[in-house]
């Protein structure tokens, strides 16, 4: 009996021992984690995870049972919608994965990367963003190192420029507006007179060149060469150009149209070449003399020594029959105050030389016609002829005398009254005087044909009864007439 009980007890103990060996053991250590083949995370539990995101955008996977961090996934390692979209496109197209440098038009980063690659293949480099290269975004010298050939002097010397000549004495004298012909274009290797890039650069209002066309200016040059003055050469169509074109056709016997570009170029080639030429500013040009400004009041004008030009540009514009603003717009980088500067000017050619026997001042057309002894038209000029308050004469008169660079006597009891001036004043000579640089007196007292200080207004404003031309047109006509030449005023 006792033996039986002992055997049964031993069997029970053996069964309990084998059951304990077969039971799973509990381990408080970390659970094994291994990476999945596709880059995911495999854990011992099934879905017993907590997922968090830190301040840097990393995804943190935590064991919900133990609270231990299982994995940290940076943003670059996770599949986002953009990457998923790319992968889906590639799978649809049956192409290789996205490491073969494909680009998508709707992806800004892709297009930036594609553009950079294109420029690198062309040998060009895109400058890096400011925060990568120049943190202060100030384009400092440190951000852009100097060239290996730069000695740091930053001068603007031209390599082929000759040494400057010793300064000499410049004789100051009035400029002869119509005595200098445009120069032929200079050789491109002549670097001595290139306009400077710093200091003294002419400031030009961008609006000055609006509406101005060089083809129109070329037509104006051609008309001027033919003796049919368009007034100022400004590159703009207008009534003065229309009148000059009609006079040109009468003078030359042609039938030129303003739209005939081929005919205009052919006529230019036959009459003196290109419509524009280069001119080198001389020391005399820069020296003047010039006045600071011209006052409006006649009593203040009378106190000046001379009614001279106010700037080099004004003097050169008159010399080359141009509107001053148009001259500036043709040469936006030129330093007009520096001798040796090369500028582009109108190549108006030679002046009319045929003597004039008769002059007709057409009030309605606002134009003066000059005829030779045979009755042939030799020159025509746009003009301002009188006004309703101070009308010009009527009938036929004659030239009595010619005065170049004249004084002007203001007499309010005979002529008009200017401002509050009620005394006789003598205004000194000069191109900016009331009658400009020329006075062609008529046999009718106080009336004549003269120049103007505002050439751009000729044919567009009124005068005080006289016939007003541009200074260069009045000077040309003065050399063609003599005392006794008839002047007929027609309505």
């Amino acid at each position: 009996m006792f033996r039986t009980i002992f055997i049964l007890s031993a069997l029970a103990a053996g069964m309990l021992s084998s059951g304990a060996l077969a039971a799973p053991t509990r381990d408080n250590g970390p659970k094994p984690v291994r990476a999945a083949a596709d880059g995911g995370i495999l854990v011992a539990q099934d879905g017993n995870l907590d997922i968090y995101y830190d301040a840097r955008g990393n995804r943190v996977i935590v064991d919900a049972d133990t609270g231990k961090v299982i994995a940290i996934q940076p943003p670059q390692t996770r599949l986002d919608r953009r990457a998923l979209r790319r992968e889906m496109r590639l799978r649809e197209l049956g192409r290789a994965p996205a490491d073969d440098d494909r680009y998508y038009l709707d992806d800004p980063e892709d297009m930036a990367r594609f553009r950079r690659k294109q420029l690198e293949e062309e040998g060009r480099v895109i400058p890096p963003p400011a925060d990568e290269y120049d943190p202060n975004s100030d384009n400092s010298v440190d951000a852009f190192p100097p060239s290996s050939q730069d000695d740091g002097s930053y001068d603007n010397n031209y390599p082929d420029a000759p040494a400057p000549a010793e300064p000499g004495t410049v004789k100051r004298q009035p400029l002869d507006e119509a005595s200098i012909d445009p120069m032929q274009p200079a050789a491109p290797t002549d670097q001595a007179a290139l306009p400077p890039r710093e200091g003294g650069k002419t400031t030009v209002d961008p609006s000055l060149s609006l509406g101005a066309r060089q083809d129109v200016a070329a037509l104006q040059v051609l008309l001027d060469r033919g003796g049919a003055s368009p007034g100022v050469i400004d590159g703009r169509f207008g009534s003065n150009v229309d009148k000059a074109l009609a006079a040109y056709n009468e003078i030359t016997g042609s039938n030129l149209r303003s739209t005939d570009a081929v005919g205009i170029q052919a006529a230019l080639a036959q009459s003196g070449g290109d419509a524009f030429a280069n001119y080198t500013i001389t020391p005399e040009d820069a020296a003047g003399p010039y006045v600071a400004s011209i006052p409006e009041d006649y009593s203040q004008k009378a106190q000046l020594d001379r009614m001279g030009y106010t700037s080099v540009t004004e003097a050169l514009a008159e010399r080359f029959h141009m509107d001053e603003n148009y001259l500036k717009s043709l040469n936006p980088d030129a330093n007009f105050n520096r001798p040796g500067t090369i500028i582009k000017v109108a190549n108006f050619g030679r002046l009319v030389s045929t003597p004039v026997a008769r002059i007709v001042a057409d009030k309605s057309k606002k134009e003066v016609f000059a005829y030779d002894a045979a009755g042939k038209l030799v020159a025509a000029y746009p003009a301002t002829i009188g006004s309703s308050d101070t009308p010009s004469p009527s009938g036929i008169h004659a030239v009595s005398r010619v005065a170049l660079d004249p004084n002007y006597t203001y007499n309010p009891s005979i002529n008009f009254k200017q401002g509050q001036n009620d005394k006789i004043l003598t205004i000194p000579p000069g191109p900016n005087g009331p009658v400009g640089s020329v006075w062609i007196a008529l046999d009718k007292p106080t009336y004549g044909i003269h120049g103007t200080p505002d050439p751009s207004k000729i044919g567009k404003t009124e005068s005080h009864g006289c016939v007003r031309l541009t200074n260069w047109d009045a000077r040309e006509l003065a050399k063609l007439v003599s005392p006794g030449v008839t002047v007929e005023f027609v309505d």
Side-chain angles (χ1 to χ4, degrees):
M1 179 73 179
F2 178 77
R3 180 181 296 177
T4 302
I5 293 173
F6 178 78
I7 292 172
L8 291 175
S9 299
L11 290 173
M15 293 176 65
L16 290 173
S17 175
S18 62
L21 291 174
T25 59
R26 184 174 183 85
D27 186 5
N28 292 330
K31 297 175 176 58
V33 178
R34 64 184 178 88
D38 59 355
I41 300 296
L42 291 179
V43 295
Q45 303 94 321
D46 184 13
N48 198 16
L49 301 173
D50 288 335
I51 299 176
Y52 302 92
Y53 291 88
D54 62 13
R56 296 182 179 179
N58 297 320
R59 183 163 59 182
V60 182
I61 302 176
V62 179
D63 190 321
D65 295 332
T66 65
K68 292 185 177 182
V69 175
I70 298 176
I72 298 177
Q73 295 179 322
Q76 295 85 352
T77 64
R78 305 196 308 269
L79 288 176
D80 55 12
R81 292 186 178 181
R82 184 180 299 166
L84 184 60
R85 187 171 69 245
R86 292 180 186 171
E87 185 177 352
M88 291 176 62
R89 288 177 179 172
L90 292 174
R91 288 178 180 175
E92 291 175 358
L93 297 173
R95 295 179 180 176
D99 19 338
D100 60 346
D101 251 356
R102 285 185 170 84
Y103 306 95
Y104 295 93
L105 296 176
D106 59 348
D107 187 340
E109 293 181 3
D110 259 10
M111 294 312 299
R113 189 162 50 91
F114 175 69
R115 180 61 177 155
R116 186 179 295 275
K117 182 178 179 181
Q118 270 190 328
L119 293 179
E120 288 175 353
E121 290 175 351
E122 296 172 2
R124 299 162 58 190
V125 179
I126 297 180
D131 58 352
E132 293 182 19
Y133 202 86
D134 184 13
N136 298 323
S137 298
D138 58 358
N139 293 327
S140 63
V141 175
D142 294 336
F144 297 93
S147 167
S148 58
Q149 297 179 352
D150 191 353
D151 59 1
S153 62
Y154 296 102
D155 57 5
N156 287 327
N157 293 332
Y158 298 101
D160 299 329
E166 292 295 329
T169 301
V170 176
K171 183 180 180 181
R172 295 177 177 269
Q173 57 185 3
L175 297 175
D176 187 357
E177 298 90 340
S179 63
I180 301 178
D181 290 333
M183 296 178 59
Q184 294 300 320
T189 56
D190 184 5
Q191 302 263 347
L194 288 175
R197 292 293 177 181
E198 63 178 8
K201 178 177 176 180
T202 303
T203 301
V204 180
D205 185 347
S207 65
L208 296 181
S209 60
L210 293 178
R213 292 164 42 185
Q214 286 201 31
D215 60 332
V216 178
L219 172 60
Q220 292 173 319
V221 169
L222 175 62
L223 299 176
D224 203 359
R225 288 180 186 177
S229 172
V232 292
I233 296 172
D234 59 2
R236 291 177 170 85
F237 278 119
S239 59
N240 287 350
V241 174
D242 294 338
K243 292 183 294 188
L245 183 57
Y248 175 86
N249 286 333
E250 182 178 350
I251 293 171
T252 62
S254 60
N255 189 27
L256 185 68
R257 296 174 179 267
S258 61
T259 55
D260 185 5
V262 175
I264 292 171
Q265 289 301 318
L268 283 170
Q270 294 175 0
S271 61
D274 292 340
F276 296 93
N278 290 342
Y279 174 77
T280 303
I281 294 177
T282 66
E284 290 77 13
D285 294 333
Y290 299 107
V291 296
S293 62
I294 301 295
E296 293 292 333
D297 188 81
Y298 275 24
S299 64
Q300 296 178 10
K301 291 179 189 287
Q303 297 175 16
L304 297 178
D305 294 330
R306 178 173 174 79
M307 302 295 292
Y309 294 117
T310 60
S311 64
V312 179
T313 54
E314 184 183 26
L316 293 178
E318 284 220 355
R319 186 182 307 177
F320 296 105
H321 304 185
M322 301 175 71
D323 175 71
E324 183 181 2
N325 288 336
Y326 185 56
L327 174 65
K328 291 179 180 179
S329 69
L330 281 180
N331 303 276
D333 295 324
N335 182 356
F336 289 91
N337 298 317
R338 179 182 126 184
T341 299
I342 296 177
I343 59 173
K344 185 177 182 179
V345 298
N347 184 15
F348 62 85
R350 298 185 178 276
L351 304 178
V352 176
S353 57
T354 305
V356 170
R358 182 171 66 98
I359 295 173
V360 174
D362 194 316
K363 299 179 184 179
S364 61
K365 291 184 178 180
K366 296 183 178 180
E367 194 169 13
V368 168
F369 300 94
Y371 299 88
D372 64 9
K376 183 180 185 300
L377 181 66
V378 296
Y381 310 101
T384 297
I385 307 175
S387 66
S388 56
D389 294 334
T390 54
S392 59
S394 298
I396 299 177
H397 299 271
V399 173
S400 61
R401 60 187 175 88
V402 174
L404 300 179
D405 209 26
N407 290 325
Y408 176 75
T409 300
Y410 166 75
N411 188 341
S413 62
I414 297 178
N415 304 116
F416 59 95
K417 184 176 181 181
Q418 194 274 333
Q420 301 300 319
N421 296 303
D422 53 5
K423 297 180 180 179
I424 297 175
L425 299 171
T426 300
I427 298 176
N432 273 318
V435 295
S437 58
V438 178
W439 173 257
I440 303 174
L442 302 182
D443 56 8
K444 184 177 178 63
T446 73
Y447 288 94
I449 302 172
H450 60 81
T452 178
D454 298 308
S456 295
K457 296 181 180 179
I458 289 297
K460 304 170 185 177
T461 56
E462 297 179 333
S463 72
H464 296 294
C466 293
V467 179
R468 186 182 299 168
L469 311 177
T470 65
N471 280 336
W472 55 88
D473 287 343
R475 184 174 290 267
E476 178 181 85
L477 182 61
K479 294 180 179 181
L480 303 178
V481 300
S482 58
V485 170
T486 61
V487 180
E488 181 181 359
F489 290 84
V490 297
D491 296 323

